[in-house]
């Protein structure tokens, strides 16, 4: 994570010119780590679903019914999201020209070239593993909700209104010190 923060301005340069030329990568990976979102979910997130002031992303989900959720925004990634929104694209993750980025274009060659440049041996999905690991000590029901996993509870699945949980979700996510890989107390 420290390497990502230190190289947040690293830009993709391909062997031939593509629409992703000059695209940053570390900021996208940080958003994934700090939110627990799947790459497909992030790439499909509409700009209108990002609520910076209220500090949440309305995730429409791509995999299961539990993927539809409110994702709290960690305070440390607010500037990254602001910068992405300033591109004024339909989606949050767009090129500087406002073109939506698709998974196949991002994963190969952009993500792979980033990994090669820094001698990293990771997959994009590992960002979810990082989120799950770093949030292991927060409330398990809230953690399951944040990552989009089923809690297995009828009460939580049917009767809980996530918008009521938003202050608690934000409080819990802000306890996590991702840079130093630990959970901090209130």
């Amino acid at each position: 994570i420290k390497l990502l923060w230190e190289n947040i301005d690293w830009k993709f340069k391909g062997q031939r010119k593509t629409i992703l030329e000059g695209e940053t990568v570390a900021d996208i990976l940080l958003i994934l780590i700090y939110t627990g979102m799947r790459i497909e979910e992030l790439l499909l997130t509409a700009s209108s679903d990002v609520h910076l002031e209220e500090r949440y992303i309305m995730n429409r989900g791509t995999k299961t019914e539990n993927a539809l959720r409110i994702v709290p925004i960690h305070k440390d990634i607010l500037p990254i999201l602001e910068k992405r929104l300033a591109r004024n694209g339909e989606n949050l993750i767009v090129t500087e020209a406002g073109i939506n980025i698709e998974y196949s274009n991002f994963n190969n060659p952009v993500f792979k070239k980033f990994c090669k440049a820094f001698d990293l041996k990771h997959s994009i999905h590992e960002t979810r593993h990082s989120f799950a690991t770093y949030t292991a000590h927060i409330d398990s029901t809230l953690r399951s909700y944040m990552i989009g996993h089923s809690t297995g509870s009828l009460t939580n699945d049917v009767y809980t209104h996530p918008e009521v949980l938003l202050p608690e979700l934000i409080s819990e996510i802000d306890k996590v010190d991702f840079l130093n890989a630990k959970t901090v107390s209130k």
Side-chain angles (χ1 to χ4, degrees), residues 46-48 84-92 94-95 98-100:
S47 293
S48 60
R84 281 284 172 180
L85 285 172
R87 292 182 174 191
N88 294 318
E90 178 183 323
N91 287 351
L92 172 65
V94 295
T95 66
I99 300 168
N100 292 344

Side-chain angles (χ1 to χ4, degrees), residues 36-63:
M37 293 174 74
R38 295 170 181 89
I39 182 63
E40 296 88 352
E41 293 170 336
L42 181 61
L43 294 176
L44 293 173
T45 297
S47 293
S48 60
D49 284 336
V50 180
H51 305 272
L52 292 180
E53 206 166 297
E54 297 88 358
R55 292 191 44 205
Y56 76 92
I57 297 169
M58 186 64 227
N59 185 353
R60 303 291 174 189
T62 58
K63 190 172 178 183

Side-chain angles (χ1 to χ4, degrees), residues 142-179:
L142 293 175
R143 183 170 163 259
S144 291
Y145 177 80
M146 285 182 210
I147 204 163
H149 288 165
S150 173
T151 60
S153 161
L154 179 65
T155 302
N156 290 326
D157 294 345
V158 177
Y159 296 103
T160 301
H161 298 276
E163 63 277 7
V164 175
L165 294 176
L166 185 59
E168 194 170 351
L169 290 169
I170 292 170
S171 173
E172 287 295 308
I173 200 64
D174 280 350
K175 290 179 185 177
V176 182
D177 180 355
F178 286 93
L179 187 57

Side-chain angles (χ1 to χ4, degrees), residues 8-145:
I8 199 156
D9 293 323
W10 183 90
K11 294 185 188 269
F12 171 74
K13 183 169 174 35
Q15 292 180 343
R16 62 182 194 272
K17 190 132 173 108
T18 71
I19 62 166
L20 296 176
E21 191 75 22
E23 187 54 46
T24 56
V25 178
D27 61 335
I28 294 171
L29 297 175
L30 287 166
I31 294 168
L32 292 170
I33 290 169
Y34 280 67
T35 63
M37 293 174 74
R38 295 170 181 89
I39 182 63
E40 296 88 352
E41 293 170 336
L42 181 61
L43 294 176
L44 293 173
T45 297
S47 293
S48 60
D49 284 336
V50 180
H51 305 272
L52 292 180
E53 206 166 297
E54 297 88 358
R55 292 191 44 205
Y56 76 92
I57 297 169
M58 186 64 227
N59 185 353
R60 303 291 174 189
T62 58
K63 190 172 178 183
T64 68
E65 64 184 42
N66 294 310
L68 175 61
R69 65 195 185 278
I70 292 173
V71 176
I73 298 172
H74 191 285
K75 62 186 182 295
D76 291 349
I77 63 166
L78 281 168
I80 294 173
L81 295 171
E82 288 171 352
K83 191 172 180 180
R84 281 284 172 180
L85 285 172
R87 292 182 174 191
N88 294 318
E90 178 183 323
N91 287 351
L92 172 65
I93 306 298
V94 295
T95 66
E96 288 189 6
I99 300 168
N100 292 344
I101 297 175
E102 298 195 18
Y103 174 75
S104 59
N105 294 336
F106 180 76
N107 186 47
N108 189 13
V110 179
F111 174 72
K112 290 184 179 181
K113 186 152 190 175
F114 180 83
C115 287
K116 187 175 181 179
F118 295 100
D119 195 30
L120 300 173
K121 310 242 186 299
H122 295 288
S123 70
I124 293 175
H125 189 71
E126 286 180 68
T127 58
R128 281 177 58 81
H129 291 255
S130 296
F131 179 86
T133 299
Y134 300 148
T135 60
H137 296 94
I138 66 175
D139 178 87
S140 62
T141 301
L142 293 175
R143 183 170 163 259
S144 291
Y145 177 80

